[in-house]
């Protein structure tokens, strides 16, 4: 039940490993009637929040670091000066800082004008934020290197949340790498702006056969004889890189995935983690600050234990390879609970024989 954007109380909120909810909560807490302390797991305390804090301070919010500058925990104290205005944004570690500001902007007296002094990080996620705001009746003006969110009252309404393209990506990747596999995935609207919907397009480039004509009944996928290699810039869908990397590990040739800069500051350094764990199964993997090259020509089938680094996406990605090659065990499988508690049960359905599910 909503509170018209103004939380009547305060307290301490520990969001564990959740990067997105932490950054959004810091912004939302600026609208609370009492002080709020936002904290997280040891890994989340290592991840950057300073850019978001600085943006909110630029709009008049009062935030202070409880222990270390630039890191959680952060204390937010109610401030009458938090009224909105104009801010400038350069290249950030995450687009989530800007999204957080845009999401609270309708409740600020002056709204918010964001001027971009550089190409925005993960611009596709900013478009997702604009789309959600507009669906709730908020006026968002997209100008030349600027976003303007006008103040307005936001009323409750029915809102149907689309299937999650980020989670769906692993089921599509598994279909792509298992010979003879066929699957029906929940339909995501053709006009969806979820960034990871692009994963299906990249898998199609690798050979996955996709029939989305009957969208209401889901998207039907069928495996190629063997997936081909992929060279792709994933700057607009960086979270989908892990599912695609798993498919590339089974491909017929060398793949290069670029545009991955933001993966360095996720639950783990995902570029380094991918390279390390792909080498465990014999792939030659080279990582840079922004890209990973995967050569599966020396891949082996020997038993191996994959480390997940407490990262749900790492577990999901190597689950794909577990189905494709066997002999693969995943350490800390429970880490998927962060975003998808029933992942292993649902993923196991990929093994259902024909006629008993898909």
């Amino acid at each position: 039940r909503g509170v018209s954007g103004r939380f009547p109380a305060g307290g301490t909120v520990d969001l564990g490993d959740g990067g997105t909810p932490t950054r959004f909560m810091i912004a939302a807490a600026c609208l609370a009637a009492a002080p709020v302390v936002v904290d997280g797991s040891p890994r989340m305390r290592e991840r950057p929040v300073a850019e978001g804090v600085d943006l909110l301070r630029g709009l008049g919010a009062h935030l202070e670091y409880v222990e270390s500058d630039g890191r959680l925990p952060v204390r937010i104290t109610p401030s009458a000066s938090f009224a909105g205005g104009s801010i400038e944004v350069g290249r950030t570690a995450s687009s989530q800082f800007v999204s957080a500001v845009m999401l609270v902007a309708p409740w600020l007296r002056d709204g918010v004008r964001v001027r971009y002094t550089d190409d925005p990080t993960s611009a596709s996620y900013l478009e997702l934020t604009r789309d959600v705001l507009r669906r709730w009746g908020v006026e968002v003006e997209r100008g030349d290197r600027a976003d303007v969110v006008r103040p307005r009252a936001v009323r409750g309404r029915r809102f149907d949340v689309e299937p999650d393209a980020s989670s769906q990506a692993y089921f599509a990747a598994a279909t792509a790498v298992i010979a003879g596999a066929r699957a029906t995935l929940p339909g995501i609207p053709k006009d969806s702006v979820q960034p990871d919907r692009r994963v299906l397009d990249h898998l199609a480039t690798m050979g996955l056969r996709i029939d989305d004509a009957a969208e209401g009944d889901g998207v039907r996928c069928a495996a190629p004889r063997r997936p081909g290699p992929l060279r792709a810039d994933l700057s607009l869908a960086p979270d989908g890189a892990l599912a695609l990397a798993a498919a590339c590990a089974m491909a017929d040739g060398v793949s290069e995935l670029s545009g991955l800069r933001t993966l360095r500051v996720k639950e783990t350094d995902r570029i380094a983690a991918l390279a390390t764990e792909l080498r465990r199964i014999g792939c030659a993997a080279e990582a840079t600050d922004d890209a990973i090259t995967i050569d599966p020509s020396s891949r082996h089938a020997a038993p191996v234990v994959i480390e997940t680094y407490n990262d749900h996406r790492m577990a999901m990605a190597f689950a794909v390879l577990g189905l494709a090659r066997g002999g693969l065990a995943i350490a800390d499988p429970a880490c998927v609970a962060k975003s998808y508690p029933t992942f292993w049960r649902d993923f196991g359905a990929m093994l259902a024989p024909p006629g008993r599910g898909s």
Side-chain angles (χ1 to χ4, degrees), residues 276-334:
T276 298
E277 300 309 310
L278 287 171
R279 290 179 190 129
R280 289 187 195 275
I281 63 169
C283 293
E286 295 183 8
T288 69
D289 284 342
D290 185 64
I292 186 168
T293 301
I294 302 167
D295 180 355
S297 59
S298 56
R299 189 186 67 247
H300 59 69
V304 65
V305 177
I306 297 295
E307 295 297 331
T308 54
Y309 308 90
N310 199 31
D311 187 337
H312 56 147
R313 301 294 181 199
M314 285 292 292
M316 293 175 183
F318 282 88
V320 171
L321 291 173
L323 286 186
R325 73 185 284 280
L328 187 150
I330 294 178
D332 188 23

Tab-separated table of all heavy atoms in Angstrom, residues 276-334:
chain	number	residue	atom	x	y	z
A	276	THR	N	38.088	-16.733	-15.467
A	276	THR	CA	38.663	-17.745	-14.579
A	276	THR	C	37.904	-19.064	-14.672
A	276	THR	O	38.509	-20.148	-14.803
A	276	THR	CB	38.647	-17.244	-13.128
A	276	THR	OG1	39.466	-16.068	-13.028
A	276	THR	CG2	39.172	-18.312	-12.177
A	277	GLU	N	36.580	-18.986	-14.602
A	277	GLU	CA	35.788	-20.221	-14.573
A	277	GLU	C	35.699	-20.881	-15.947
A	277	GLU	O	35.622	-22.107	-16.044
A	277	GLU	CB	34.400	-19.936	-14.005
A	277	GLU	CG	34.420	-19.374	-12.586
A	277	GLU	CD	35.268	-20.197	-11.632
A	277	GLU	OE1	35.093	-21.437	-11.579
A	277	GLU	OE2	36.132	-19.605	-10.936
A	278	LEU	N	35.721	-20.111	-17.020
A	278	LEU	CA	35.743	-20.712	-18.359
A	278	LEU	C	37.051	-21.470	-18.589
A	278	LEU	O	37.073	-22.503	-19.259
A	278	LEU	CB	35.552	-19.636	-19.428
A	278	LEU	CG	34.123	-19.071	-19.543
A	278	LEU	CD1	34.101	-17.871	-20.475
A	278	LEU	CD2	33.150	-20.136	-20.022
A	279	ARG	N	38.120	-20.976	-17.994
A	279	ARG	CA	39.402	-21.685	-18.127
A	279	ARG	C	39.347	-23.030	-17.408
A	279	ARG	O	40.042	-23.970	-17.787
A	279	ARG	CB	40.534	-20.828	-17.564
A	279	ARG	CG	40.847	-19.585	-18.411
A	279	ARG	CD	41.950	-18.749	-17.803
A	279	ARG	NE	42.076	-17.460	-18.468
A	279	ARG	CZ	42.097	-16.294	-17.842
A	279	ARG	NH1	42.020	-16.241	-16.513
A	279	ARG	NH2	42.208	-15.165	-18.532
A	280	ARG	N	38.519	-23.137	-16.368
A	280	ARG	CA	38.404	-24.409	-15.655
A	280	ARG	C	37.872	-25.515	-16.567
A	280	ARG	O	38.160	-26.691	-16.359
A	280	ARG	CB	37.468	-24.264	-14.453
A	280	ARG	CG	38.005	-23.441	-13.304
A	280	ARG	CD	37.043	-23.525	-12.126
A	280	ARG	NE	37.315	-22.504	-11.136
A	280	ARG	CZ	38.211	-22.613	-10.154
A	280	ARG	NH1	38.925	-23.718	-10.057
A	280	ARG	NH2	38.381	-21.625	-9.289
A	281	ILE	N	37.076	-25.140	-17.558
A	281	ILE	CA	36.556	-26.168	-18.468
A	281	ILE	C	37.377	-26.230	-19.761
A	281	ILE	O	36.965	-26.857	-20.729
A	281	ILE	CB	35.065	-25.939	-18.787
A	281	ILE	CG1	34.838	-24.618	-19.533
A	281	ILE	CG2	34.229	-25.984	-17.515
A	281	ILE	CD1	33.421	-24.484	-20.085
A	282	GLY	N	38.558	-25.573	-19.746
A	282	GLY	CA	39.489	-25.699	-20.857
A	282	GLY	C	39.408	-24.628	-21.917
A	282	GLY	O	40.220	-24.628	-22.857
A	283	CYS	N	38.434	-23.703	-21.810
A	283	CYS	CA	38.366	-22.624	-22.796
A	283	CYS	C	39.538	-21.674	-22.600
A	283	CYS	O	39.990	-21.436	-21.475
A	283	CYS	CB	37.059	-21.835	-22.645
A	283	CYS	SG	35.573	-22.742	-23.066
A	284	ALA	N	40.026	-21.127	-23.699
A	284	ALA	CA	40.990	-20.042	-23.613
A	284	ALA	C	40.176	-18.755	-23.516
A	284	ALA	O	39.399	-18.431	-24.412
A	284	ALA	CB	41.881	-20.017	-24.852
A	285	ALA	N	40.337	-18.046	-22.411
A	285	ALA	CA	39.551	-16.834	-22.178
A	285	ALA	C	40.475	-15.689	-21.807
A	285	ALA	O	41.269	-15.808	-20.870
A	285	ALA	CB	38.526	-17.073	-21.076
A	286	GLU	N	40.375	-14.606	-22.548
A	286	GLU	CA	41.189	-13.423	-22.279
A	286	GLU	C	40.271	-12.263	-21.929
A	286	GLU	O	39.309	-11.979	-22.649
A	286	GLU	CB	42.036	-13.068	-23.494
A	286	GLU	CG	43.073	-14.123	-23.856
A	286	GLU	CD	43.933	-13.694	-25.031
A	286	GLU	OE1	43.817	-12.524	-25.442
A	286	GLU	OE2	44.697	-14.532	-25.522
A	287	ALA	N	40.584	-11.594	-20.820
A	287	ALA	CA	39.744	-10.503	-20.338
A	287	ALA	C	40.487	-9.178	-20.386
A	287	ALA	O	41.690	-9.112	-20.126
A	287	ALA	CB	39.291	-10.782	-18.909
A	288	THR	N	39.767	-8.126	-20.730
A	288	THR	CA	40.266	-6.762	-20.627
A	288	THR	C	39.293	-5.996	-19.728
A	288	THR	O	38.354	-6.565	-19.175
A	288	THR	CB	40.343	-6.086	-22.005
A	288	THR	OG1	39.009	-5.856	-22.496
A	288	THR	CG2	41.099	-6.951	-23.001
A	289	ASP	N	39.493	-4.694	-19.589
A	289	ASP	CA	38.587	-3.905	-18.754
A	289	ASP	C	37.183	-3.840	-19.330
A	289	ASP	O	36.226	-3.556	-18.610
A	289	ASP	CB	39.126	-2.477	-18.591
A	289	ASP	CG	40.276	-2.415	-17.608
A	289	ASP	OD1	40.423	-3.371	-16.821
A	289	ASP	OD2	41.014	-1.428	-17.614
A	290	ASP	N	37.042	-4.110	-20.615
A	290	ASP	CA	35.757	-3.889	-21.277
A	290	ASP	C	35.259	-5.091	-22.075
A	290	ASP	O	34.159	-5.064	-22.615
A	290	ASP	CB	35.879	-2.678	-22.210
A	290	ASP	CG	34.563	-2.286	-22.853
A	290	ASP	OD1	33.645	-1.897	-22.115
A	290	ASP	OD2	34.447	-2.390	-24.097
A	291	ALA	N	36.058	-6.158	-22.164
A	291	ALA	CA	35.686	-7.242	-23.086
A	291	ALA	C	36.235	-8.579	-22.619
A	291	ALA	O	37.113	-8.651	-21.754
A	291	ALA	CB	36.202	-6.932	-24.486
A	292	ILE	N	35.698	-9.637	-23.225
A	292	ILE	CA	36.223	-10.980	-23.006
A	292	ILE	C	36.207	-11.720	-24.339
A	292	ILE	O	35.263	-11.606	-25.123
A	292	ILE	CB	35.408	-11.755	-21.945
A	292	ILE	CG1	36.055	-13.099	-21.635
A	292	ILE	CG2	33.955	-11.934	-22.364
A	292	ILE	CD1	35.469	-13.787	-20.408
A	293	THR	N	37.311	-12.430	-24.606
A	293	THR	CA	37.423	-13.264	-25.797
A	293	THR	C	37.402	-14.718	-25.357
A	293	THR	O	38.117	-15.095	-24.422
A	293	THR	CB	38.721	-12.963	-26.570
A	293	THR	OG1	38.726	-11.583	-26.948
A	293	THR	CG2	38.823	-13.815	-27.819
A	294	ILE	N	36.569	-15.525	-26.018
A	294	ILE	CA	36.371	-16.919	-25.607
A	294	ILE	C	36.666	-17.844	-26.779
A	294	ILE	O	36.015	-17.769	-27.823
A	294	ILE	CB	34.926	-17.143	-25.131
A	294	ILE	CG1	34.596	-16.205	-23.957
A	294	ILE	CG2	34.703	-18.606	-24.721
A	294	ILE	CD1	33.123	-16.131	-23.627
A	295	ASP	N	37.670	-18.698	-26.588
A	295	ASP	CA	38.032	-19.695	-27.597
A	295	ASP	C	37.765	-21.067	-27.002
A	295	ASP	O	38.496	-21.529	-26.119
A	295	ASP	CB	39.511	-19.545	-27.970
A	295	ASP	CG	39.948	-20.562	-29.023
A	295	ASP	OD1	39.138	-21.440	-29.383
A	295	ASP	OD2	41.109	-20.480	-29.478
A	296	PRO	N	36.707	-21.749	-27.462
A	296	PRO	CA	36.341	-23.038	-26.861
A	296	PRO	C	37.037	-24.241	-27.488
A	296	PRO	O	36.705	-25.383	-27.147
A	296	PRO	CB	34.834	-23.091	-27.126
A	296	PRO	CG	34.672	-22.364	-28.418
A	296	PRO	CD	35.738	-21.296	-28.462
A	297	SER	N	38.005	-24.014	-28.364
A	297	SER	CA	38.588	-25.125	-29.126
A	297	SER	C	39.279	-26.149	-28.237
A	297	SER	O	39.395	-27.325	-28.596
A	297	SER	CB	39.566	-24.600	-30.178
A	297	SER	OG	40.614	-23.856	-29.579
A	298	SER	N	39.765	-25.726	-27.063
A	298	SER	CA	40.456	-26.658	-26.159
A	298	SER	C	39.562	-27.091	-24.994
A	298	SER	O	40.050	-27.657	-24.008
A	298	SER	CB	41.735	-26.012	-25.614
A	298	SER	OG	41.450	-24.779	-24.965
A	299	ARG	N	38.266	-26.855	-25.098
A	299	ARG	CA	37.335	-27.214	-24.027
A	299	ARG	C	37.367	-28.718	-23.773
A	299	ARG	O	37.445	-29.513	-24.697
A	299	ARG	CB	35.921	-26.792	-24.431
A	299	ARG	CG	34.884	-26.922	-23.312
A	299	ARG	CD	33.475	-26.629	-23.820
A	299	ARG	NE	33.028	-27.640	-24.761
A	299	ARG	CZ	32.813	-27.429	-26.050
A	299	ARG	NH1	33.008	-26.230	-26.575
A	299	ARG	NH2	32.409	-28.411	-26.844
A	300	HIS	N	37.326	-29.102	-22.495
A	300	HIS	CA	37.335	-30.526	-22.141
A	300	HIS	C	36.048	-30.880	-21.404
A	300	HIS	O	35.232	-30.008	-21.086
A	300	HIS	CB	38.558	-30.868	-21.289
A	300	HIS	CG	38.631	-30.089	-20.005
A	300	HIS	ND1	37.758	-30.285	-18.959
A	300	HIS	CD2	39.499	-29.105	-19.598
A	300	HIS	CE1	38.067	-29.477	-17.959
A	300	HIS	NE2	39.111	-28.744	-18.323
A	301	ALA	N	35.864	-32.148	-21.120
A	301	ALA	CA	34.655	-32.623	-20.445
A	301	ALA	C	34.954	-33.229	-19.083
A	301	ALA	O	34.118	-33.936	-18.509
A	301	ALA	CB	33.934	-33.638	-21.328
A	302	ALA	N	36.148	-32.973	-18.547
A	302	ALA	CA	36.509	-33.529	-17.242
A	302	ALA	C	35.656	-32.897	-16.142
A	302	ALA	O	35.235	-31.741	-16.256
A	302	ALA	CB	37.988	-33.275	-16.973
A	303	PRO	N	35.414	-33.635	-15.064
A	303	PRO	CA	34.633	-33.080	-13.956
A	303	PRO	C	35.298	-31.824	-13.390
A	303	PRO	O	36.533	-31.746	-13.294
A	303	PRO	CB	34.630	-34.210	-12.919
A	303	PRO	CG	34.854	-35.457	-13.720
A	303	PRO	CD	35.780	-35.044	-14.833
A	304	VAL	N	34.489	-30.855	-13.000
A	304	VAL	CA	35.020	-29.595	-12.501
A	304	VAL	C	34.004	-28.953	-11.563
A	304	VAL	O	32.798	-29.162	-11.699
A	304	VAL	CB	35.342	-28.644	-13.679
A	304	VAL	CG1	34.067	-28.256	-14.425
A	304	VAL	CG2	36.085	-27.398	-13.221
A	305	VAL	N	34.506	-28.210	-10.583
A	305	VAL	CA	33.650	-27.449	-9.673
A	305	VAL	C	33.797	-25.971	-10.017
A	305	VAL	O	34.912	-25.442	-10.067
A	305	VAL	CB	34.027	-27.681	-8.198
A	305	VAL	CG1	33.168	-26.808	-7.281
A	305	VAL	CG2	33.861	-29.147	-7.841
A	306	ILE	N	32.691	-25.312	-10.255
A	306	ILE	CA	32.682	-23.905	-10.646
A	306	ILE	C	32.408	-23.029	-9.434
A	306	ILE	O	31.449	-23.251	-8.686
A	306	ILE	CB	31.599	-23.655	-11.721
A	306	ILE	CG1	31.921	-24.448	-12.993
A	306	ILE	CG2	31.462	-22.168	-12.028
A	306	ILE	CD1	33.188	-24.024	-13.691
A	307	GLU	N	33.242	-22.031	-9.238
A	307	GLU	CA	33.009	-21.052	-8.171
A	307	GLU	C	32.018	-20.000	-8.666
A	307	GLU	O	32.074	-19.589	-9.832
A	307	GLU	CB	34.324	-20.374	-7.769
A	307	GLU	CG	35.342	-21.313	-7.150
A	307	GLU	CD	34.848	-21.910	-5.841
A	307	GLU	OE1	34.045	-21.248	-5.144
A	307	GLU	OE2	35.243	-23.041	-5.517
A	308	THR	N	31.137	-19.549	-7.781
A	308	THR	CA	30.120	-18.572	-8.181
A	308	THR	C	30.374	-17.172	-7.628
A	308	THR	O	29.734	-16.215	-8.053
A	308	THR	CB	28.727	-19.031	-7.723
A	308	THR	OG1	28.770	-19.301	-6.325
A	308	THR	CG2	28.311	-20.277	-8.474
A	309	TYR	N	31.278	-17.052	-6.657
A	309	TYR	CA	31.627	-15.740	-6.099
A	309	TYR	C	30.403	-15.037	-5.510
A	309	TYR	O	30.297	-13.803	-5.546
A	309	TYR	CB	32.281	-14.849	-7.170
A	309	TYR	CG	33.438	-15.523	-7.872
A	309	TYR	CD1	33.223	-16.286	-9.023
A	309	TYR	CD2	34.733	-15.431	-7.381
A	309	TYR	CE1	34.273	-16.928	-9.668
A	309	TYR	CE2	35.801	-16.057	-8.022
A	309	TYR	CZ	35.555	-16.818	-9.162
A	309	TYR	OH	36.602	-17.449	-9.801
A	310	ASN	N	29.466	-15.824	-4.988
A	310	ASN	CA	28.228	-15.288	-4.412
A	310	ASN	C	27.456	-14.441	-5.421
A	310	ASN	O	26.782	-13.482	-5.061
A	310	ASN	CB	28.512	-14.461	-3.147
A	310	ASN	CG	27.270	-14.284	-2.291
A	310	ASN	OD1	26.402	-15.145	-2.255
A	310	ASN	ND2	27.177	-13.161	-1.610
A	311	ASP	N	27.553	-14.806	-6.690
A	311	ASP	CA	26.934	-14.038	-7.777
A	311	ASP	C	25.892	-14.915	-8.476
A	311	ASP	O	26.233	-15.920	-9.111
A	311	ASP	CB	28.004	-13.592	-8.767
A	311	ASP	CG	27.479	-12.650	-9.841
A	311	ASP	OD1	26.260	-12.658	-10.106
A	311	ASP	OD2	28.285	-11.901	-10.423
A	312	HIS	N	24.640	-14.524	-8.352
A	312	HIS	CA	23.547	-15.305	-8.937
A	312	HIS	C	23.705	-15.525	-10.435
A	312	HIS	O	23.390	-16.590	-10.961
A	312	HIS	CB	22.207	-14.621	-8.640
A	312	HIS	CG	22.104	-13.195	-9.085
A	312	HIS	ND1	20.922	-12.637	-9.523
A	312	HIS	CD2	23.029	-12.195	-9.164
A	312	HIS	CE1	21.117	-11.377	-9.842
A	312	HIS	NE2	22.381	-11.089	-9.631
A	313	ARG	N	24.212	-14.517	-11.143
A	313	ARG	CA	24.356	-14.643	-12.590
A	313	ARG	C	25.453	-15.637	-12.982
A	313	ARG	O	25.345	-16.322	-14.003
A	313	ARG	CB	24.642	-13.278	-13.220
A	313	ARG	CG	23.579	-12.229	-12.973
A	313	ARG	CD	22.271	-12.573	-13.628
A	313	ARG	NE	21.261	-11.543	-13.403
A	313	ARG	CZ	19.967	-11.722	-13.542
A	313	ARG	NH1	19.481	-12.892	-13.910
A	313	ARG	NH2	19.118	-10.731	-13.310
A	314	MET	N	26.499	-15.734	-12.182
A	314	MET	CA	27.537	-16.735	-12.455
A	314	MET	C	26.959	-18.136	-12.317
A	314	MET	O	27.218	-19.027	-13.148
A	314	MET	CB	28.710	-16.543	-11.500
A	314	MET	CG	29.611	-15.360	-11.823
A	314	MET	SD	30.555	-15.591	-13.352
A	314	MET	CE	31.663	-16.934	-12.848
A	315	ALA	N	26.167	-18.359	-11.272
A	315	ALA	CA	25.564	-19.684	-11.084
A	315	ALA	C	24.647	-20.029	-12.254
A	315	ALA	O	24.669	-21.148	-12.777
A	315	ALA	CB	24.781	-19.708	-9.771
A	316	MET	N	23.846	-19.074	-12.681
A	316	MET	CA	22.919	-19.326	-13.782
A	316	MET	C	23.656	-19.601	-15.088
A	316	MET	O	23.283	-20.495	-15.864
A	316	MET	CB	21.980	-18.132	-13.948
A	316	MET	CG	21.027	-17.915	-12.790
A	316	MET	SD	20.064	-16.391	-13.017
A	316	MET	CE	19.135	-16.353	-11.486
A	317	ALA	N	24.714	-18.835	-15.343
A	317	ALA	CA	25.464	-19.010	-16.589
A	317	ALA	C	26.090	-20.394	-16.668
A	317	ALA	O	26.017	-21.073	-17.704
A	317	ALA	CB	26.541	-17.928	-16.705
A	318	PHE	N	26.680	-20.844	-15.582
A	318	PHE	CA	27.350	-22.144	-15.639
A	318	PHE	C	26.356	-23.297	-15.484
A	318	PHE	O	26.695	-24.444	-15.810
A	318	PHE	CB	28.492	-22.189	-14.640
A	318	PHE	CG	29.701	-21.450	-15.163
A	318	PHE	CD1	29.842	-20.093	-14.938
A	318	PHE	CD2	30.639	-22.089	-15.946
A	318	PHE	CE1	30.924	-19.384	-15.463
A	318	PHE	CE2	31.722	-21.405	-16.483
A	318	PHE	CZ	31.869	-20.045	-16.238
A	319	ALA	N	25.135	-23.001	-15.050
A	319	ALA	CA	24.084	-24.010	-15.123
A	319	ALA	C	23.828	-24.385	-16.578
A	319	ALA	O	23.577	-25.548	-16.905
A	319	ALA	CB	22.804	-23.477	-14.483
A	320	VAL	N	23.899	-23.387	-17.457
A	320	VAL	CA	23.738	-23.639	-18.896
A	320	VAL	C	24.785	-24.646	-19.367
A	320	VAL	O	24.476	-25.619	-20.060
A	320	VAL	CB	23.865	-22.322	-19.686
A	320	VAL	CG1	23.921	-22.588	-21.189
A	320	VAL	CG2	22.709	-21.388	-19.346
A	321	LEU	N	26.030	-24.445	-18.962
A	321	LEU	CA	27.101	-25.350	-19.372
A	321	LEU	C	26.970	-26.711	-18.693
A	321	LEU	O	27.364	-27.730	-19.250
A	321	LEU	CB	28.458	-24.720	-19.071
A	321	LEU	CG	28.787	-23.514	-19.961
A	321	LEU	CD1	30.058	-22.831	-19.503
A	321	LEU	CD2	28.900	-23.940	-21.410
A	322	GLY	N	26.399	-26.716	-17.482
A	322	GLY	CA	26.183	-27.990	-16.810
A	322	GLY	C	25.233	-28.885	-17.590
A	322	GLY	O	25.440	-30.098	-17.679
A	323	LEU	N	24.196	-28.300	-18.172
A	323	LEU	CA	23.283	-29.081	-18.999
A	323	LEU	C	23.949	-29.514	-20.299
A	323	LEU	O	23.694	-30.598	-20.813
A	323	LEU	CB	22.028	-28.262	-19.327
A	323	LEU	CG	21.002	-28.057	-18.211
A	323	LEU	CD1	19.772	-27.346	-18.771
A	323	LEU	CD2	20.591	-29.368	-17.584
A	324	ALA	N	24.814	-28.666	-20.828
A	324	ALA	CA	25.398	-28.934	-22.143
A	324	ALA	C	26.513	-29.976	-22.102
A	324	ALA	O	26.638	-30.789	-23.013
A	324	ALA	CB	25.939	-27.627	-22.743
A	325	ARG	N	27.321	-29.988	-21.042
A	325	ARG	CA	28.491	-30.868	-21.022
A	325	ARG	C	28.467	-31.916	-19.919
A	325	ARG	O	29.180	-32.907	-19.983
A	325	ARG	CB	29.783	-30.043	-20.895
A	325	ARG	CG	29.979	-29.454	-19.504
A	325	ARG	CD	31.172	-28.545	-19.374
A	325	ARG	NE	32.436	-29.217	-19.303
A	325	ARG	CZ	32.951	-29.783	-18.210
A	325	ARG	NH1	32.243	-29.806	-17.087
A	325	ARG	NH2	34.142	-30.326	-18.233
A	326	GLY	N	27.674	-31.704	-18.855
A	326	GLY	CA	27.683	-32.628	-17.734
A	326	GLY	C	28.987	-32.538	-16.956
A	326	GLY	O	29.911	-31.794	-17.319
A	327	GLY	N	29.078	-33.270	-15.865
A	327	GLY	CA	30.304	-33.311	-15.074
A	327	GLY	C	30.670	-31.988	-14.442
A	327	GLY	O	31.834	-31.743	-14.130
A	328	LEU	N	29.698	-31.124	-14.250
A	328	LEU	CA	29.991	-29.790	-13.733
A	328	LEU	C	29.189	-29.567	-12.459
A	328	LEU	O	27.967	-29.733	-12.433
A	328	LEU	CB	29.619	-28.751	-14.810
A	328	LEU	CG	29.997	-27.293	-14.556
A	328	LEU	CD1	30.264	-26.582	-15.884
A	328	LEU	CD2	28.870	-26.571	-13.813
A	329	ALA	N	29.883	-29.229	-11.388
A	329	ALA	CA	29.235	-28.925	-10.114
A	329	ALA	C	29.384	-27.432	-9.833
A	329	ALA	O	30.402	-26.824	-10.187
A	329	ALA	CB	29.866	-29.727	-8.981
A	330	ILE	N	28.391	-26.857	-9.216
A	330	ILE	CA	28.380	-25.416	-8.955
A	330	ILE	C	28.406	-25.166	-7.465
A	330	ILE	O	27.511	-25.628	-6.726
A	330	ILE	CB	27.154	-24.751	-9.608
A	330	ILE	CG1	27.274	-24.847	-11.141
A	330	ILE	CG2	27.006	-23.300	-9.173
A	330	ILE	CD1	26.124	-24.291	-11.899
A	331	ALA	N	29.434	-24.454	-7.004
A	331	ALA	CA	29.561	-24.120	-5.592
A	331	ALA	C	28.534	-23.044	-5.223
A	331	ALA	O	28.253	-22.149	-6.021
A	331	ALA	CB	30.977	-23.621	-5.298
A	332	ASP	N	27.989	-23.144	-4.031
A	332	ASP	CA	27.044	-22.149	-3.520
A	332	ASP	C	25.869	-21.924	-4.468
A	332	ASP	O	25.596	-20.796	-4.882
A	332	ASP	CB	27.761	-20.826	-3.238
A	332	ASP	CG	26.861	-19.818	-2.516
A	332	ASP	OD1	25.893	-20.251	-1.861
A	332	ASP	OD2	27.119	-18.604	-2.637
A	333	PRO	N	25.151	-22.977	-4.839
A	333	PRO	CA	24.024	-22.807	-5.755
A	333	PRO	C	22.918	-21.932	-5.184
A	333	PRO	O	22.128	-21.361	-5.934
A	333	PRO	CB	23.535	-24.237	-5.999
A	333	PRO	CG	23.982	-24.999	-4.791
A	333	PRO	CD	25.297	-24.391	-4.411
A	334	ALA	N	22.862	-21.792	-3.865
A	334	ALA	CA	21.791	-21.011	-3.245
A	334	ALA	C	21.903	-19.522	-3.535
A	334	ALA	O	20.957	-18.765	-3.275
A	334	ALA	CB	21.794	-21.235	-1.734
